[in-house]
Amino acid sequence: MHKIDLIRNFSIIAHIDHGKSTLADRFLQHTESVDDRNFQDQLLDNMDLERERGITIKSHPVSIRFRGSNEREYSLNLIDTPGHVDFSYEVSRSLAACEGAVLLIDATQGVQAQTVANVNLAIRQNLVIIPVINKIDMQAADIDTCREQLEEILAIPADEAILASAKDGVGITEILEAVINRIPSPKRMDNEILRALIFDSVYDSFRGVINYVRIVSGGIKAGDEIRLFSSGVVSAVKEVGVFSPEMTPVGQLEVGSVGYVIANIKSPEDSKIGDTITGKVQSCDQPLRGFREIQPMVFSGIYPIDSADYEPLKQSMAKLRLNDSAFTFQPETSAALGFGCRCGFLGLLHMEIVQERLRREYGMNIIATYPSVIYHVYLKNGEMLEVDNPLHLPDASTIDRLEEPIVKASIISPVAYIGGIMNLIMDKRGVCGETNTVDQYHVMMAAELPLHEIVIDFHDKLKTITKGYGSMDYEPFGYRAAPLVKMEIKVNDEPVDAFTTIVHRDYAAARGRQLAERLQEIIPQHLFKIPIQAAVGGNVIARETVRALRKDVTAKCYGGDITRKRKLLEKQKEGKKKMKQIGKVNIPQDAFVKVLKSNTS
Amino acid sequence: MPFCARRCDYCAFYVYEKAASGLRREYLTRLESELKVKSEYCDPLATIYIGGGTPTYFSTRELREMLTMVTENFQFEAGYEFTVESNPDCLTPAKLTALIDGGVNRISTGIQSFSQGVLDAIGRPGKIERAYEAVDAIRASGIGNFNCDLIFGVPGQTISDWENDLKEISQLAPPHISAYSLMIEENTKLAESGTVEGDDELLSEMWNLAGEYLENHCGLRRYEISNYAKTGFECRHNQRIWMGNRFIGAGPSACYFDGVSRWTNPTTLASWLKNTPAVEDAVSSEQRAVEILITGLRTVDGWERFDFERVTGFDYSDIRGETICELTEAGLLVQDVNSLRLSNQGLLLADFIARELL
């Protein structure tokens, strides 16, 4: 038997919280890939942010050795995938490196909208699906409904489903056996020319670019000369290895396997996810089919708090982009905020994650502006402009019409919340489409909605309305004309361009009031009163005032208090430095994100 | 002195409720050795202050023992000031006599409020009548220099509730009043219950009312942000600390200042009993000078340029001239050729000003 026949490459498709990380942990423990001493929960979620939020953002491969009941030893490569609505792009590139996928369904929650989207993605890529119904130990588990959903929504035979409890370690062996028996080994290639798919990469300040690869043909070892197909960069391989689960060097990565390649690539820009690595001398003629290139849909400006940090910020963004190619950025300037970058994201969560990563991993003090989408602006002279920054909206008198991006959303929810969801869709200027029954308890609703409305807080509100049981997925659905206007926000009589937004004319007054009220809560009191105004075309449509600070003093300060007190004041002073000064007003860094998270509609 | 009958809801100190007599004994033994060490090379004391906790929570015998430790180990300057804090609930005639016998010539007593609602809201049970009785007893004992603590800005307290407290205290006519705006500090019962400090406009109104009322009805002048006194009855102990003088301290959480560094004893009784060394707060001489500038500015009269230079070695205009000018322009500081003080508005914004100066 050839070595390649003993390799299986697979990933786990699951909705957020359905137990994917726990299952991955069990695989590692069950196969003794990590000893118990080094074990910590959610081993694969190595970004702090991931453990904190309980979600996986970055896909993250690991190699497992597993002896099957046929007494053969297999090498299983698990390529982890994220589960949130913003990250279907990450899912698609993880799937491109696999022949199969474990579909994990929470027995208490059932199939979620996003899972449907990801399973369809996997089926389109000809992956074998192994359905697993997890959390069967829970009291609320409803296995029959899950089976019904598998057949009705996903057209997967219910009898293929494996019952499991990752928490209690039930069903783990069955899943691993199914992986070796149902998922095919990687295809053998006729030629021996190296072709490796880069499905992810990270930047290490000591070692440079580390590419995560799937070897499709040929093999790769230290000392080889390689070429990156699209950039043409040639470089020598310094180290190859596998994830077990830490990066472990090996002599050679052979055909079919998954691992990492460290070459002499120092510049993040030279390495592109989806690119093909081939030999320098013996090169392939065609690159491997890359992934669906996804375009960012949400845009926001990111600025350094301290203008001196502009260059370091750009460098940090370049490194971050290396393993998050869906994130884009280009320089822009703002009257209020100075030099910064216009950044593109897949969605609001993606935006927040990128901001958090810039802060935590790169130590940047940043401020982000109100998010926007790409508007199509048709001018009277027949020209069409794409505007991703409300500031660049041309003068209203020159505009013939404005079109905004629309998405087609599909929402799965328990029947009881249909009314609430319909109200939400209408509040968000959406149009309800057809509603289909999923099983006796659930429906799948279709709706067309302006993307901008989804960007703001649709997902959070959906979760609230459905008590956490509703789920949503969406895809672009073209552009549609709407009576849109530019709304400006003035703080202390100075326009803050970073808050400028494009809104529907009929919703402008409500949105303006909401923004002004939120800003009134967020902007700290100063020694003077601060008027906050929302205006459309010079007309003030909402007004709030932050009262002048009257009292800022500690009542007691005696001999025993002085040291503690000075340290507290110093800390508070540091906190103030982290705010952005706009005119005479200090605005907290997170103000621009916080204004979005309103509780009112 | 870290013992109390009950910890108040706003109290962030490490105090021990209803401590057993054995623990109090351990405290006194350790205190005596600390005082002995610290009394070596110590100049005669200008002021002594025993605070807590509730020093008068001690039995009369323990109280006498503690006071003897002080008087036997230290020399006092002529005209010294010796203050002990007390709670009206436990200030018995016998303890008053013990205090006077021990050289105490100033008493501070925590009345806080004459409203049952306010006392309940801050977790200070006790009969309001005790406040009157305690003040009468202090007067009768011959101690004319005493202070009453009041508190305002308690959740639910209105401006007229506060005016009523001021009216009541003016009947008692103490020569000194400390009136504190309620602070919600971490690790207090109030903070845990989610209580927040009151609205800044109401608090500043209450503060202004205190200043006017105590001046007009009691003849007390505000001489520090929260302190009011008849001329000559200011608390010299605190004045000296605000103006950057050296002091020693003893007991858990006690602080002391050697003119260069500040030191803080271990905060818990247990670690202090184990002789854990004090922690030094060492900063540059300029930072120390700014810190002293800030504490001194809490007093209404503020700084004389030459006094500040004598104490810290710096001219405040050299080290913070620019900020001082900005704050003066903003109306928060009042500057004369050779003096510097906070304006009336500035007193209420002393922390803001401090952050600017730091």
Side-chain angles (χ1 to χ4, degrees), chain A residues 525 527 547 549-560 562-566 569 572-573 576, chain B residues 180-181 183 199-201 204 226-227 238 242 281 283 291 298 348-352 355-356 358:
Chain A
Q525 285 179 291
L527 294 184
R547 268 185 5 214
L549 180 66
R550 296 287 304 280
K551 176 182 169 292
D552 180 7
V553 59
T554 309
K556 284 187 191 187
C557 183
Y558 297 124
I562 295 171
T563 293
R564 198 161 39 93
K565 163 98 172 150
R566 194 199 70 240
L569 290 168
Q572 290 166 341
K573 186 168 183 155
K576 194 174 159 187
Chain B
Y180 300 114
S181 177
M183 300 194 290
D199 174 85
D200 66 323
E201 289 208 348
S204 64
S226 304
N227 285 286
N238 288 331
W242 291 319
D281 168 34
V283 294
E291 177 193 270
R298 287 184 65 93
L348 270 180
L349 294 166
D351 284 5
F352 173 87
R355 283 190 289 272
E356 295 295 309
L358 271 172

